[in-house]
Amino acid sequence: AQSVTQLDSQVPVFEEAPVELRCNYSSSVSVYLFWYVQYPNQGLQLLLKYLSGSTLVKGINGFEAEFNKSQTSFHLRKPSVHISDTAEYFCAARLGGGNTPLVFGKGTRLSVIA
Amino acid sequence: GAVVSQHPSWVICKSGTSVKIECRSLDFQATTMFWYRQFPKQSLMLMATSNEGSKATYEQGVEKDKFLINHASLTLSTLTVTSAHPEDSSFYICSASTQEGYNEQFFGPGTRLTVL
């Protein structure tokens, strides 16, 4: 079955430090990749997406991600985190065309420490 | 644009009662809507996919008689949890997909269901 793997369930990081949240997906002919953020008791907010073209994707709140086809990865990065970035982050993929549903990773809890 | 709403945002009910959750696409037509549930500190698990005017497709392990999904129009899908029990307590999130381009999914804010 198609899958998305987030290698870290929790990532603690000090404020203003850089962070990388890792995501790997199972290989597919066509793939669309997404990162979402979820704050407590709220829905999902799209951070960024990769559809095609440039492998470096910039999103909101200073986040960016790089699509690496050979490593089947789509890691999320931010050069300097803030306390307000503390949240749950989900990597998701649409592995196929049409209206196939998104497949989600298990999530990574980012905790920013003052 | 591309806003999806859910109603109610939270609901508390007694065991044995039924609860209906609405998912609406406010400014676009959604031929396909997806229903997910999320347990505390866990990821989203797809429950079912619904296409307007046809029966929903349920994921393996999801009871279709317990989780009734209706997608009667291009802007509204409903999830009814019938005879709810405490183990049905969860966060339910819907998403709606556009017809255009790569069929991006837009997520609703979620509904917190607590069954006492």
Side-chain angles (χ1 to χ4, degrees), chain B:
Chain B
V3 177
V4 176
S5 70
Q6 278 185 244
H7 178 79
S9 55
W10 59 270
V11 57
I12 301 172
C13 69
K14 293 181 178 180
S15 184
T17 60
S18 294
V19 175
K20 180 184 284 188
I21 302 170
E22 292 186 348
C23 176
R24 293 182 184 272
S25 57
L26 299 184
D27 50 3
F28 66 99
Q29 293 186 331
T31 53
T32 304
M33 289 186 171
F34 305 91
W35 286 95
Y36 298 83
R37 79 187 282 185
Q38 184 183 31
F39 290 107
K41 300 186 186 301
Q42 294 190 28
S43 188
L44 281 74
M45 299 300 295
L46 180 67
M47 298 176 66
T49 301
S50 74
N51 291 295
E52 184 264 340
S54 60
K55 290 184 177 181
T57 301
Y58 290 81
E59 294 300 299
Q60 191 171 9
V62 177
E63 300 175 58
K64 58 184 67 178
D65 293 331
K66 182 168 189 58
F67 298 99
L68 301 179
I69 292 173
N70 183 278
H71 191 166
S73 77
L74 287 172
T75 58
L76 174 65
S77 176
T78 60
L79 167 67
T80 301
V81 184
T82 62
S83 186
H85 289 94
E87 58 266 29
D88 299 324
S89 298
S90 189
F91 195 52
Y92 292 86
I93 302 176
C94 74
S95 70
S97 180
T98 63
Q99 295 174 273
E100 299 162 0
Y102 70 98
N103 307 114
E104 179 171 355
Q105 286 187 39
F106 299 93
F107 286 83
T111 297
R112 171 74 60 193
L113 170 63
T114 301
V115 184
L116 302 177

Side-chain angles (χ1 to χ4, degrees), chain A residues 12-85:
Chain A
V13 63
F14 286 105
E15 193 174 17
E16 297 183 4
V19 70
E20 178 180 83
L21 305 183
R22 297 180 292 171
C23 173
N24 288 86
Y25 63 94
S26 57
S27 182
S28 178
V29 174
S30 64
V31 60
Y32 301 128
L33 296 162
F34 308 82
W35 275 100
Y36 291 89
V37 60
Q38 185 180 36
Y39 299 100
N41 294 310
Q42 294 187 29
L44 301 180
Q45 180 180 7
L46 180 67
L47 281 176
L48 48 79
K49 61 192 176 192
Y50 171 79
L51 307 180
S52 64
S54 174
T55 56
L56 182 62
V57 180
K58 293 189 182 297
I60 62 171
N61 300 342
F63 284 94
E64 63 180 33
E66 186 160 16
F67 171 61
N68 188 317
K69 187 174 182 179
S70 62
Q71 297 186 4
T72 60
S73 68
F74 190 55
H75 300 333
L76 180 70
R77 302 186 184 99
K78 186 169 182 177
S80 176
V81 295
H82 303 290
I83 294 290
S84 58
D85 293 323

Side-chain angles (χ1 to χ4, degrees), chain A residues 1-18:
Chain A
Q2 307 286 12
S3 66
V4 174
T5 303
Q6 290 182 246
L7 297 167
D8 306 298
S9 59
Q10 296 185 61
V11 173
V13 63
F14 286 105
E15 193 174 17
E16 297 183 4

